[in-house]
Each structure stands twice: as structure tokens, then as C-alpha cells.
Amino acid sequence: VQLQASGGGLVQAGDSLRLSCVASERHLLYYTVAWFRQAPGKEREFVAAIRSSAATRYYPDQMKGRVTIAVDAAKNTVYLLMNSLKPEDTAVYYCAATTKAGESEVNREAEYSDWGQGTLVTVSS
């Protein structure tokens, strides 16, 4: 599946932002879709994932309460809503999709075969 991420930009600390990931695949419900991010000089880290078929959501502890992942299957789109943004949220955000990740693997980037090009989020203090 081809993925197109968008919605990044320059925001101020405390702002909210919604990122979009549009998939070329019409049957998004068969996929697990995740967001990862990579800050300058750091490794890529898991932000959130959703199993579209079950609307099951996964978040790492450090993201719970500040991000929400949602899917609009009719639009083949997965959203990442981020609140109370901090300068340390500055990163390139990537969406990725897989049909193979088990529940314990949704946070592993190696499990994802299809990646979008990334969208830059810059949070100023």
C-alpha cells in the first residue's frame, strides 16, 4: 500500500495538530497502521497504532493522553491528533502499514513494510 502523510508544520508549544495518512489501498481495514517519529539525531520511535478492523488503538506510555489515532475507512485515512505539543515533539512523523504485526509487535518499525514519506512537525517554545 502507498501512504501519503501530511499535516505537519510550525506550531507553538501548547498547540494541537492533526496529521493525516492517506492510503492507496481501498481495504484499509485489513491493515495495522502506525505513526512513528524521528527527531534530529535520534532513533525513530513509536507514537501510536491502530488496527483498523477492530479499531484497537495502541500508545506507548509517554504518549497516552496527548495523542489520539483514528481511522476514517471511507476516506482511506488514518489521523494522528496531537495535543499540548512540546518542543521535544519536534520530529519528522511517518505513517506505516502492515498486515502482519501481532499485538505485541505493533510498536516495532521492522514489522512495517509500507511507509509514507514523512511530514515535519516543528514546535517552537
Side-chain angles (χ1 to χ4, degrees), residues 5-43:
S6 64
L10 175 62
V11 297
Q12 293 188 337
D15 284 352
S16 299
L17 195 64
R18 188 183 75 169
L19 305 182
S20 300
C21 177
V22 180
S24 61
E25 175 57 55
R26 293 176 60 188
H27 302 292
L28 196 58
L29 292 177
Y30 296 141
Y31 289 84
T32 296
V33 179
W35 287 92
F36 290 81
R37 70 182 185 183
Q38 187 165 23
K42 296 188 177 181
E43 294 185 350

Side-chain angles (χ1 to χ4, degrees), residues 59-73:
Y59 304 102
D61 288 342
Q62 65 269 28
M63 298 295 177
K64 288 180 180 177
R66 287 208 306 126
V67 301
T68 301
I69 190 169
V71 61
D72 185 336

Side-chain angles (χ1 to χ4, degrees), residues 44-115:
R44 195 173 296 183
E45 67 172 336
F46 173 67
V47 176
I50 186 166
R51 285 184 175 273
S52 303
S53 60
T56 306
R57 296 168 174 84
Y58 305 87
Y59 304 102
D61 288 342
Q62 65 269 28
M63 298 295 177
K64 288 180 180 177
R66 287 208 306 126
V67 301
T68 301
I69 190 169
V71 61
D72 185 336
K75 296 183 178 180
N76 301 326
T77 302
V78 172
Y79 301 100
L80 182 71
L81 295 87
M82 301 186 291
N83 300 311
S84 302
L85 285 164
K86 306 173 183 179
E88 49 264 44
D89 293 316
T90 295
V92 177
Y93 285 72
Y94 299 90
C95 58
T98 182
T99 58
K100 299 180 179 180
E103 281 205 357
S104 63
E105 300 165 333
V106 296
N107 61 340
R108 301 177 188 175
E109 60 175 296
E111 297 299 319
Y112 292 85
S113 54
D114 302 310
W115 290 80

